[in-house]
């Protein structure tokens, strides 16, 4: 009976490595050693909030995570009265009316540097998709917003 030597072990190790690499590529697509970084402009909405909170949101640097790791830059803030849809019996149709409670919606434009992954973008472990929640935090406020629009401003950031 023949004993295993170092050459036999290296051949088996190389074969196992290539099998694992093939499985990884087939399951996850191509392996990106250096992922593509792009600059995104996000339009997010903080819905139905009081003005004393929303007035604190101003252009400048903002954190996009609870633990203050990921940053973005607010470039614009627009406030609009929260409207609700009600049924008008006389018109027999729905119409939009201002909310009685005096709440406002904030529409915030944020610039972020994100990593492009096949079908979505990420900032660290935060997945950026239209409709997904995004935590916005600064010294004066913190709130949960939802992404309404996303636009790629520059394709590759170096």
């Amino acid at each position: 009976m023949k004993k295993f030597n170092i050459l036999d072990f290296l051949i088996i190790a190389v074969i196992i490595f290539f099998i694992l690499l093939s499985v990884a590529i087939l399951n996850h697509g191509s392996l990106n050693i250096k992922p593509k970084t792009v600059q995104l402009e996000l339009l997010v909405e903080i819905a139905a909030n009081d003005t004393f909170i929303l007035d604190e949101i101003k252009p400048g640097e903002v954190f996009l995570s609870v633990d203050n790791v990921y940053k973005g830059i607010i470039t614009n803030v627009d406030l609009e009265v929260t409207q609700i849809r009600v049924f008008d019996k006389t018109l027999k149709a729905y119409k939009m009316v201002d909310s009685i409670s005096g709440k406002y919606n904030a529409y915030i434009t944020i610039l972020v540097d994100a990593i492009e992954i096949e079908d979505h973008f990420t900032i660290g472990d935060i997945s950026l998709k239209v409709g997904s929640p995004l935590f916005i935090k600064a010294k004066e406020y913190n709130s949960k917003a939802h992404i309404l629009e996303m636009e790629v401003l520059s394709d590759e950031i170096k």
Side-chain angles (χ1 to χ4, degrees), residues 41-50 53-55 57-59 73-84 96 103-111 134 136 141 143-149:
E41 182 179 69
L42 305 176
L43 177 64
V44 300
E45 175 190 39
I46 299 175
N49 229 318
D50 294 315
I53 295 171
L54 299 178
D55 284 339
I57 302 173
K58 296 180 177 37
I73 298 172
I74 293 177
T75 58
N76 189 31
V77 180
D78 290 323
L79 298 181
E80 292 182 5
V81 174
T82 301
Q83 292 189 326
I84 55 175
M96 298 298 286
K103 302 284 185 179
Y104 286 80
N105 294 339
Y107 296 97
I108 305 165
T109 306
I110 303 174
L111 293 177
L134 185 65
I136 298 175
Y141 61 89
S143 188
K144 181 178 173 183
H146 286 87
I147 300 173
L148 299 179
E149 295 177 9

Side-chain angles (χ1 to χ4, degrees), residues 36-40 42 112 114-124 126-129 150-152:
K36 185 176 176 184
T37 304
V38 297
Q39 186 173 44
L40 291 178
L42 305 176
V112 296
I115 295 172
E116 183 176 3
I117 300 173
E118 294 177 15
D119 61 344
H120 67 282
F121 300 96
T122 62
I123 304 172
I126 302 170
S127 180
L128 301 175
K129 293 184 178 182
M150 293 176 20
E151 181 181 351
V152 177

Side-chain angles (χ1 to χ4, degrees), residues 6 9-10 21 34 38 40 44 50 52 62 68 71 78-79 85-86 92-93 95 115-116 121 130 138 145 154-155:
I6 290 198
F9 177 74
L10 288 176
L21 183 65
K34 186 174 185 292
V38 297
L40 291 178
V44 300
D50 294 315
F52 70 87
V62 66
N68 298 346
K71 295 180 183 179
D78 290 323
L79 298 181
R85 200 169 94 158
V86 296
K92 296 188 184 196
K95 67 178 185 177
I115 295 172
E116 183 176 3
F121 300 96
V130 172
S154 66
D155 257 355

